[in-house]
Amino acid sequence: MNTLEKRITQLRISDQPRTSPLVWATPLVGIILFILAMGAFFYTLHSEDQSQAKLRTIRDVELARQTIRTRLLGSQERLIQIARSIEQQGFEEDSFRRQANGILSDTPEVSSILYINQEREATLVVLPRGRSTEVVHDPGVIIEDAESYWAFATAKEGGLPVFARPFLSISGAVYTEIHVPVIVDSKFKGVVAATLPISAILNDAVPTSFTQLYLVSVVDSGGNMIASNSSRSIDNAKLSHEVQLDPPGHGLKLRAVLYRTTTELFQDMLTWAVLGLSAVIVWSFILLYRHSKMRNQAERKLLAETKFRRAMENSVITGMRAFDMQGRITYVNPAFCKMTGYKESELVGMTPPFPYWPENSYQEQEEALRLILSGRAPRQGLEVNIRRREGSIFAARMYVSPLVDSEGSQSGWMTSITDITEPRRVREELAAAHRRFVRILEELDAAVVVEDPQSDSPEPIFTNRLHKDWFSKASPPGLDKTLNDRSAMESIEWLNPVTQRWYEVRRRPISWVDGRTVLMQVATDISSRKETEKVNRQQQEKLQFTSRLITLGELASSLAHELNQPLTAIANYTMGGVARLKAGTVKSEDLLPVMEKVSVQAQRAGDVIRRIREFVKQQEPNRSLCLLDKIIQDAIGFSRLEARNQGTRIVVNNPEANLQVVADAILIEQVLMNLIKNGIEAMGHLNVIDRVIEIHVNRVNSTMAMVRVRDYGSGVPEEIRERLFESFFTTKSNGMGMGLNICRTIIEYHQGQLWVDPAPNGGSEFKFTLPTSESITNKPTATNDTASKDSRNTANASK
């Protein structure tokens, strides 16, 4: 080809459009980027898969450790229960075997349970039933191996459960032990121990699903394998994990190695990735549509809620105001604007001092604002004064609460303000009326208290001053709280045990100021009236006493006058018969003793009547030297018939039969007969064999003798013992109350004393004293008038 043709060819080639490298470079770059992106994506997935596998391994190992720990601690707790049972009830072989068999059946990892006493002797070893196991400690053998001895000594010293260090048995198996101390009264008595093979812990405590995925083993602190769930080994340190195994501790670790490491993650990855991305794009559009729809609905609801809240804020009569954290007003409602007279645009954004603060209370308003901003505003609210725009001032109560936004952070303070001008006026009027009411009640000469019968509180609604003064230490008894008739008035008379004053207590229902029905109690002091009544009653008693004494005296005189005539005739006839007998007209052997006894008894009857008549007339007794034993026997003779009828025995204990006393024998017989009669009546409720009257005589000193009349009745209560000798006081339904009073008067006539004491083993013992013959040594022996007057004066002085 010549030069011209070459030139034309070059021109043609240069005139054609040349392809830009970007045409193929762009797809190439896109492919490369896609390959790199997918590679990075797959690598990331692979790394994530490996990381997830590692995390699962760690999680599963932790779960396995927790399972082993739970099982071991459960076994330990069961051993502690056996130890506490031994501490409370003592060691009983049957009870120990029963509890041990329960543990062995529930926990397969435990191979044996034994009780070791304080000398380290295995007293009892319990093995599982139906399961072969190695006997680590034989019964009756002293524990000598180092690890068991260490656990025994540690439990003994610390008083707490201890896990032993792992040790090899004779068969080559690795064991650990749990030692739980038994302490009775702060003294070590031994341990309850359990042997646990390490391999059994792995096989029984670790789930089967876990062992299918991992090679599980227990290694010591040096990394040496102690026990494993499989004989094969896997060298895959990246997919293994080990943790401390505590309990039993002592450097033991739980190691798990993942068996499978391959995954089918990369198969059909591209297809699934494209389909997944497409599904994600479609789902994204669906979510976007739903989100847009839900957002429109939420905006409509928010708008409706905003309108409702705005309408609600505009309708409330409580003023609402909001501050930010610096005290700037951020919101006011129409009610607040109406209260103050300022517009919302004028108040929002304003800082203190505010125009509605009164000019003379800036300092108080600033202090209230500081309390609000510092969060120390009282819960019951603050009372403040607010100035209206035209200058008038009104009282308001302000409550404060924190203003929290939707994210939970506080953005300011919300205050609610209520006009309390009218409530304050009403409260002041009520307070004034209450003060007037209380003043009137305080000035009353009566104790007033108001109680609510429906309230569980013991505190009354109102008490005046006199009620607090009168009843501070003792209150009147409660009256009927079920009164429904408001016109009904319940009244009682009550004696204050502290002040010993009488009060008339009246109670009626009334309507209280709040509309509820309450009980008002009014107490007035009626001590003066009761004293007057008491004086009148005593005057009446004295008149009755005088009348009774007059009647008794008249009766005694009449009885003595009427009985003396036939008694005198009997004595005369008897003496005549005796005279004729002595003359020989009748055989004296037959009639003489009888007639003499009739004469003696007739004279005795006359003497009794005469002495009673003299006593009624209050004459001095005719005292002379008498044998005390004869007086007692004569009194028993008069009382023997009644004692026989009542089945009562009378026993006399008089070591000095010749003891003489200065007394009127007839009157002393009357005293003894009265005391014996009272004793017989007091024992009416006893069995016949227990009815005994005992009379004891002994000397008090050289001049006084004591006679004691003892019965076995129910005794005299202490509250009536002091009144027993009062006139007309009696405990008998048909008694006159004169017997014991007359007996005391007779004894006091004789310069003695009469009293009663409770007897040992039940009953009463009446005691009286009489002067003996030694009391009149070197004195006139005749019972002259002077001696009688002295005796009467002494008796009156003692009365």
Side-chain angles (χ1 to χ4, degrees), residues 32-52:
I32 293 174
L33 292 176
F34 178 78
I35 293 174
L36 292 177
M38 295 304 294
F41 174 73
F42 294 149
Y43 178 80
T44 303
L45 290 179
H46 177 71
S47 300
E48 184 67 18
D49 183 66
Q50 293 293 319
S51 177
Q52 290 296 328

Side-chain angles (χ1 to χ4, degrees), residues 754-782:
L754 172 64
W755 70 96
V756 62
D757 288 330
N761 301 323
S764 301
E765 193 171 45
F766 287 84
K767 306 175 183 179
F768 64 88
T769 58
L770 294 172
T772 62
S773 58
E774 286 83 356
S775 64
I776 58 173
T777 305
N778 299 326
K779 294 183 180 180
T781 58

Side-chain angles (χ1 to χ4, degrees), residues 396-555:
R397 179 172 291 277
M398 178 172 57
Y399 297 92
V400 183
S401 60
L403 186 62
V404 181
D405 57 18
S406 59
E407 297 179 357
S409 59
Q410 183 178 350
S411 59
W413 299 92
M414 175 62 73
T415 62
S416 60
I417 300 175
T418 305
D419 189 348
I420 61 171
T421 303
E422 184 62 20
R424 175 181 287 183
R425 184 187 64 80
V426 174
R427 186 168 62 250
E428 290 176 353
E429 291 181 357
L430 289 176
H434 177 73
R435 287 193 296 270
R436 291 192 296 269
F437 170 74
V438 171
R439 181 62 180 270
I440 293 172
L441 292 181
E442 292 290 350
E443 296 301 326
L444 287 177
D445 292 334
V448 181
V449 62
V450 180
E451 299 176 344
D452 185 0
Q454 304 299 329
S455 176
D456 296 332
S457 175
E459 295 297 328
I461 299 175
F462 171 80
T463 54
N464 68 343
R465 176 181 53 82
L466 279 184
H467 188 277
K468 297 175 183 177
D469 294 341
W470 289 355
F471 307 131
S472 60
K473 296 182 179 179
S475 299
L479 303 180
D480 187 11
K481 291 188 176 182
T482 61
L483 293 176
N484 295 320
D485 185 6
R486 295 192 178 183
S487 62
M489 175 69 75
E490 184 181 2
S491 176
I492 63 170
E493 292 183 354
W494 174 67
L495 176 64
N496 192 326
V498 178
T499 62
Q500 295 297 315
R501 297 189 67 83
W502 281 94
Y503 298 93
E504 182 181 14
V505 183
R506 293 172 293 173
R507 176 175 288 191
R508 63 173 296 177
I510 63 173
S511 294
W512 196 238
V513 293
D514 54 3
R516 55 179 167 167
T517 300
V518 298
L519 293 176
M520 180 180 68
Q521 176 180 287
V522 181
T524 55
D525 192 340
I526 59 172
S527 300
S528 300
R529 189 182 77 188
K530 298 295 289 187
E531 187 66 26
T532 303
E533 293 176 355
K534 180 180 178 181
V535 172
N536 293 335
R537 187 170 59 253
Q538 290 177 351
Q539 294 295 334
Q540 292 294 330
E541 290 177 356
K542 289 182 180 179
L543 291 176
Q544 293 176 6
F545 175 68
T546 304
S547 176
R548 290 187 182 184
L549 287 181
I550 294 173
T551 303
L552 183 62
E554 292 175 353
L555 181 62

